[in-house]
Amino acid sequence: MPVPDSMISALIDLNRADDEGLVAQLTSQLRSLIATGRLVKGRTLPSSRGLASDLGVSRNTVSYAFEQLAAEGYLEASHGRRPMVAVDGGERVTEAGAVASRIRPGKPRLSPWASSLTQTDWPMSYQARLRPLRPGHGDFREFPNEVWARCLRRSAVRAARRELGPVNRPRLREALAHYLATSRGVRATADQILILPSAQAALTLIAAAVITPGDDVWVEDPGYPGAAAAFRASGARVIGMSLDEQGMQRIRGLAAPTLIFMTPSHQHPTGRLMSLSRRTEFLGLSRPGKTWIVEDDYDGEFHYDSRPVPALQGLDAHGRVFYVGTFSKVMTSDIRLGYLVIPRAMVGTLEIVQRHIGLIAASHIQEALAEFIADGHFLAHLRRVRRIYHARRDHLVEGLERHLGDVLSAEVSPGGIQLVARLKRGRADQVAVKRLVEAGVETRALSGLALGRPRDHGLLLGFAAWRESEITAALRTMASCF
Ligand SMILES: Cc1ncc(COP(=O)(O)O)c(C=O)c1O
């Protein structure tokens, strides 16, 4: 179909972050519009000035692209006139030997959503093999695989008798509602719980359901990159809020956003706990009914020094909080199960969105997990790994002091599966991370988790997934690198 003049710039998608320069991108995209017959022979293109202004690039960028396409025979250009398409696209171009040989397919055109996701540094491009001290993981070697296998087997056998039931299995919803109420202070009935393949899926679902392009979303800075990526891809303007000892702090004077994302129980990555007064302040902001809060309680099960602080969701009297959780930390990373507790007013609507996006977890795994929880295996496992991870955290903190006390200072957080060690001198955490990876130790640079200009420089170190001997070996390697 021929493309109207006003649409040409809308069909072009230039990415300033791409290694390929703007001229090369524009040339290849115009070439493919001609080759596919969307710009037909004889068609005049906009002037270089007009197209440059529509695309927000310099006039030279457009002129160079036109010159290149003229040299290749796709355009006829003469001084002072708008360039004209010189060949027919589609099959006729292919038949015209000389031109066909020059046609190279352009890069696939992506939606704004996919282009946004491909431009973020998330998920991290880690090596496939898990190496010490990669943050964000529990120890899958400690997981009771035999017990889990029995639950899976029973669930699979029962599947033959099971009716094709709801996508969110009632037994698991009930078991989770009970667990979350007693252990995290979450106030919800079973029908408010959606079972999803991960916490990240929950963030994607929320973004799809409540974000209109241009909406403001506040996130913690430094914070969890997966959340910023999901909201930005939906067209949100993501604004970072810095942290103090009480957790995320709002920038005064900014109008309340559509959504605030936070990790109040154990801030990712600093491990800080959000104070009660801050929680109340943010809840107050959400009360008029415009602002949603997303509470990501990704590792709230792990607390070592004191009783855990209940979830913020339990304080919400006005139904404005989404509560996100995952089993990838507390069971194994590859179990691929998470959940989302939704405000009552969203029951029904969000299940429809869930079905359309297809973020549905396998029924037999949901049933197996319901049994694993109901029979007490989940809590038993949790109690056991909590003890183990507590000892590993202490071991890492002591080891950091002993082996790297002059370069790093550990921030001991009361829970979680990873901790921050700040650089005592300098800001070169990204350089340190590179050097450590080459030596076999995986960490994450704190500055890489900043949304704006990084204020924090240090390393994020995982401790839960590593035995004490592995932690000591990693620390010795680190000491030799610094
Ligand atoms: C703060 C935070 N939220 C959510 C997630 C994602 O969890 P899942 O693996 O269930 O997507 C992570 C994973 O590292 C995380 O650190």
Side-chain angles (χ1 to χ4, degrees):
M1 271 253 297
V3 179
D5 234 354
S6 59
M7 283 288 290
I8 293 181
S9 60
L11 291 171
I12 291 171
D13 182 22
L14 301 179
N15 175 2
R16 283 167 202 282
D18 201 314
D19 289 341
E20 196 178 26
L22 291 177
V23 175
Q25 291 179 51
L26 180 57
T27 309
S28 103
Q29 291 182 30
L30 283 171
R31 189 191 290 117
S32 88
L33 287 175
I34 297 170
T36 54
R38 303 189 81 187
L39 295 177
V40 294
K41 185 172 179 178
R43 164 70 193 268
T44 40
L45 296 190
S47 66
S48 55
R49 188 193 301 278
L51 190 56
S53 131
D54 288 347
L55 294 172
V57 298
S58 78
R59 193 175 168 192
N60 275 347
T61 300
V62 178
S63 301
Y64 292 147
F66 283 171
E67 274 168 34
Q68 175 65 29
L69 291 170
E72 290 177 13
Y74 286 90
L75 294 182
E76 262 175 31
S78 54
H79 192 66
R81 305 245 311 266
R82 289 165 58 179
M84 195 167 72
V85 177
V87 291
D88 264 335
E91 290 175 2
R92 271 174 292 165
V93 170
T94 322
E95 281 160 21
V99 174
S101 66
R102 297 195 199 104
I103 293 177
R104 276 179 277 135
K107 274 197 171 172
R109 257 185 70 78
L110 296 177
S111 67
W113 184 76
S115 326
S116 168
L117 289 178
T118 53
Q119 281 166 44
T120 62
D121 177 25
W122 192 262
M124 294 177 322
S125 43
Y126 274 137
Q127 318 248 350
R129 195 163 66 84
L130 201 61
R131 288 188 298 178
L133 301 165
R134 187 191 295 182
H137 293 268
D139 192 345
F140 63 87
R141 296 168 296 188
E142 300 294 343
F143 186 65
N145 281 308
E146 288 302 323
V147 179
W148 176 237
R150 283 201 294 276
C151 295
L152 278 174
R153 183 171 188 288
R154 275 196 290 271
S155 167
V157 169
R158 277 197 303 262
R161 281 178 272 131
R162 230 177 357 246
E163 309 226 326
L164 197 59
V167 296
N168 299 295
R169 309 302 298 184
R171 277 181 74 207
L172 182 54
R173 284 177 136 180
E174 291 290 350
L176 268 175
H178 178 71
Y179 161 70
L180 291 174
T182 50
S183 74
R184 303 295 300 120
V186 169
R187 293 193 303 177
T189 48
D191 62 335
Q192 285 174 264
I193 302 179
L194 305 185
I195 314 297
L196 299 165
S198 61
Q200 191 62 38
L203 301 178
T204 300
L205 190 63
I206 296 168
V210 305
I211 300 292
T212 301
D215 280 356
D216 281 358
V217 168
W218 294 357
V219 299
E220 297 157 326
D221 185 11
Y224 174 55
F231 297 125
R232 198 179 287 117
S234 284
R237 187 166 76 118
V238 175
I239 305 170
M241 303 281 137
S242 63
L243 310 167
D244 63 10
E245 298 66 42
Q246 299 193 59
M248 182 184 201
Q249 48 183 349
R250 63 188 271 223
I251 303 173
R252 302 271 154 206
L254 274 189
T258 300
L259 189 148
I260 308 174
F261 172 82
M262 57 175 73
T263 49
S265 297
H266 186 230
Q267 202 272 333
H268 182 286
T270 62
R272 279 177 210 163
L273 178 71
M274 185 182 278
S275 69
L276 184 59
S277 66
R278 249 341 122 70
R279 288 169 188 238
T280 315
E281 183 184 345
F282 282 114
L283 281 171
L285 208 62
S286 74
R287 193 153 307 144
K290 171 181 179 280
T291 302
W292 299 104
I293 293 181
V294 176
E295 173 179 23
D296 181 358
D297 203 13
Y298 64 109
D299 65 359
E301 294 86 0
F302 298 113
H303 47 85
Y304 310 124
D305 299 327
S306 52
R307 277 197 62 73
V309 173
L312 173 133
Q313 193 271 4
L315 300 173
D316 171 30
H318 296 85
R320 302 302 300 173
V321 177
F322 289 93
Y323 175 89
V324 177
T326 177
F327 287 99
S328 56
K329 316 288 177 195
V330 70
M331 290 175 75
T332 72
S333 313
D334 57 5
I335 191 150
R336 296 292 88 207
L337 275 179
Y339 48 90
L340 172 61
V341 180
I342 56 179
R344 177 146 300 288
M346 284 296 208
V347 169
T349 310
L350 263 184
E351 267 181 85
I352 294 172
V353 179
Q354 178 193 17
R355 277 170 169 275
H356 277 276
I357 307 185
L359 290 177
I360 297 167
S363 299
H364 79 277
I365 299 188
Q366 293 193 47
E367 293 289 341
L369 182 56
E371 179 177 325
F372 190 75
I373 296 174
D375 289 357
H377 304 304
F378 178 71
L379 280 181
H381 169 63
L382 189 53
R383 272 195 295 273
R384 204 172 83 78
V385 286
R386 213 181 263 146
R387 260 197 324 274
I388 296 173
Y389 297 170
H390 185 174
R392 291 179 182 179
R393 183 206 60 178
D394 292 349
H395 187 76
L396 176 61
V397 172
E398 283 159 26
L400 278 167
E401 182 55 36
R402 181 166 339 120
H403 298 282
L404 290 140
D406 48 343
V407 265
L408 290 172
S409 106
E411 283 189 2
V412 188
S413 67
I417 52 179
Q418 57 208 11
L419 60 77
V420 159
R422 288 185 191 268
L423 286 180
K424 286 193 170 168
R425 284 181 302 276
R427 307 170 144 239
D429 55 1
Q430 317 245 5
V431 178
V433 164
K434 261 200 187 138
R435 206 179 311 145
L436 292 173
V437 164
E438 280 159 20
V441 177
E442 281 186 36
T443 63
R444 176 109 215 211
L446 211 48
S447 65
L449 299 169
L451 209 72
R453 179 198 288 267
R455 282 174 284 253
D456 304 273
H457 300 268
L459 303 178
L460 188 59
L461 306 170
F463 55 78
W466 313 108
R467 296 185 176 133
E468 293 176 17
S469 56
E470 292 165 329
I471 292 175
T472 304
L475 289 172
R476 290 214 173 100
T477 307
M478 287 172 71
S480 69
C481 288
F482 271 103

CSV table of all heavy atoms in Angstrom, one decimal, residues 198-200 224 263 268 296 298 326 328-329 336, ligand 1:
chain,number,residue,atom,x,y,z
A,198,SER,N,6.3,-15.5,37.1
A,198,SER,CA,7.4,-14.8,37.8
A,198,SER,C,6.9,-13.5,38.3
A,198,SER,O,5.8,-13.0,38.0
A,198,SER,CB,8.6,-14.6,36.8
A,198,SER,OG,8.1,-13.7,35.8
A,199,ALA,N,7.8,-12.9,39.2
A,199,ALA,CA,7.5,-11.5,39.6
A,199,ALA,C,7.6,-10.6,38.4
A,199,ALA,O,6.8,-9.6,38.3
A,199,ALA,CB,8.5,-11.1,40.7
A,200,GLN,N,8.5,-10.8,37.5
A,200,GLN,CA,8.6,-9.9,36.4
A,200,GLN,C,7.4,-10.0,35.5
A,200,GLN,O,6.9,-8.9,35.0
A,200,GLN,CB,9.8,-10.4,35.5
A,200,GLN,CG,10.3,-9.4,34.5
A,200,GLN,CD,10.7,-8.1,35.0
A,200,GLN,OE1,11.4,-8.0,36.0
A,200,GLN,NE2,10.4,-7.0,34.3
A,224,TYR,N,15.5,-1.6,41.1
A,224,TYR,CA,15.5,-2.9,40.4
A,224,TYR,C,15.2,-2.6,38.9
A,224,TYR,O,14.2,-2.1,38.5
A,224,TYR,CB,14.3,-3.8,41.0
A,224,TYR,CG,14.1,-5.0,40.2
A,224,TYR,CD1,15.1,-5.9,39.9
A,224,TYR,CD2,12.8,-5.3,39.7
A,224,TYR,CE1,14.9,-7.0,39.2
A,224,TYR,CE2,12.6,-6.5,38.9
A,224,TYR,CZ,13.7,-7.3,38.7
A,224,TYR,OH,13.5,-8.4,37.9
A,263,THR,N,10.3,-1.4,46.9
A,263,THR,CA,10.7,-2.7,47.6
A,263,THR,C,10.9,-2.3,49.1
A,263,THR,O,12.0,-2.3,49.6
A,263,THR,CB,12.0,-3.3,47.0
A,263,THR,OG1,13.0,-2.2,46.9
A,263,THR,CG2,11.8,-3.8,45.6
A,268,HIS,N,15.8,-3.1,47.0
A,268,HIS,CA,16.7,-3.6,46.1
A,268,HIS,C,17.4,-2.4,45.4
A,268,HIS,O,16.8,-1.6,44.8
A,268,HIS,CB,16.0,-4.4,45.0
A,268,HIS,CG,16.9,-5.0,44.0
A,268,HIS,ND1,17.6,-4.3,43.0
A,268,HIS,CD2,17.4,-6.3,43.8
A,268,HIS,CE1,18.3,-5.1,42.3
A,268,HIS,NE2,18.2,-6.3,42.8
A,296,ASP,N,7.0,-4.7,45.8
A,296,ASP,CA,7.7,-5.9,45.3
A,296,ASP,C,8.4,-6.5,46.5
A,296,ASP,O,9.3,-5.9,47.0
A,296,ASP,CB,8.7,-5.5,44.2
A,296,ASP,CG,9.4,-6.7,43.7
A,296,ASP,OD1,9.2,-7.8,44.2
A,296,ASP,OD2,10.3,-6.5,42.8
A,298,TYR,N,10.1,-9.2,46.9
A,298,TYR,CA,10.8,-10.3,46.2
A,298,TYR,C,11.6,-11.3,47.2
A,298,TYR,O,11.7,-12.5,46.8
A,298,TYR,CB,11.8,-9.8,45.2
A,298,TYR,CG,12.9,-8.9,45.8
A,298,TYR,CD1,14.2,-9.4,45.8
A,298,TYR,CD2,12.6,-7.7,46.4
A,298,TYR,CE1,15.2,-8.7,46.4
A,298,TYR,CE2,13.6,-7.0,47.0
A,298,TYR,CZ,14.9,-7.5,47.0
A,298,TYR,OH,15.9,-6.7,47.6
A,326,THR,N,7.5,-13.8,44.6
A,326,THR,CA,8.1,-14.8,43.7
A,326,THR,C,8.6,-16.0,44.5
A,326,THR,O,8.9,-15.9,45.6
A,326,THR,CB,9.3,-14.2,42.9
A,326,THR,OG1,9.8,-15.2,42.1
A,326,THR,CG2,10.4,-13.6,43.8
A,328,SER,N,11.0,-17.7,43.1
A,328,SER,CA,12.3,-18.0,42.5
A,328,SER,C,13.5,-17.7,43.5
A,328,SER,O,14.6,-18.3,43.2
A,328,SER,CB,12.5,-17.2,41.2
A,328,SER,OG,12.4,-15.8,41.3
A,329,LYS,N,13.3,-17.0,44.5
A,329,LYS,CA,14.3,-16.9,45.5
A,329,LYS,C,14.2,-18.0,46.6
A,329,LYS,O,15.2,-18.5,47.1
A,329,LYS,CB,14.2,-15.5,46.2
A,329,LYS,CG,14.0,-14.3,45.3
A,329,LYS,CD,15.2,-14.0,44.4
A,329,LYS,CE,14.9,-12.9,43.5
A,329,LYS,NZ,15.8,-12.8,42.4
A,336,ARG,N,10.0,-20.9,38.2
A,336,ARG,CA,9.2,-20.0,37.3
A,336,ARG,C,7.8,-19.9,37.9
A,336,ARG,O,6.8,-20.1,37.2
A,336,ARG,CB,9.2,-20.4,35.9
A,336,ARG,CG,10.5,-20.4,35.2
A,336,ARG,CD,11.0,-19.0,35.0
A,336,ARG,NE,11.8,-18.5,36.1
A,336,ARG,CZ,11.9,-17.2,36.4
A,336,ARG,NH1,11.3,-16.3,35.8
A,336,ARG,NH2,12.7,-16.8,37.4
B,1,LIG,C1,13.6,-6.8,43.3
B,1,LIG,C2,13.3,-7.9,42.4
B,1,LIG,N1,12.0,-8.0,42.0
B,1,LIG,C3,11.7,-9.0,41.1
B,1,LIG,C4,12.6,-9.9,40.7
B,1,LIG,C5,12.2,-11.0,39.6
B,1,LIG,O1,11.8,-12.2,40.1
B,1,LIG,P1,11.3,-13.3,39.1
B,1,LIG,O2,12.5,-14.2,38.9
B,1,LIG,O3,10.2,-14.0,39.8
B,1,LIG,O4,10.9,-12.6,37.9
B,1,LIG,C6,13.9,-9.8,41.1
B,1,LIG,C7,14.9,-10.8,40.5
B,1,LIG,O5,16.1,-10.7,40.7
B,1,LIG,C8,14.3,-8.8,42.0
B,1,LIG,O6,15.5,-8.7,42.4
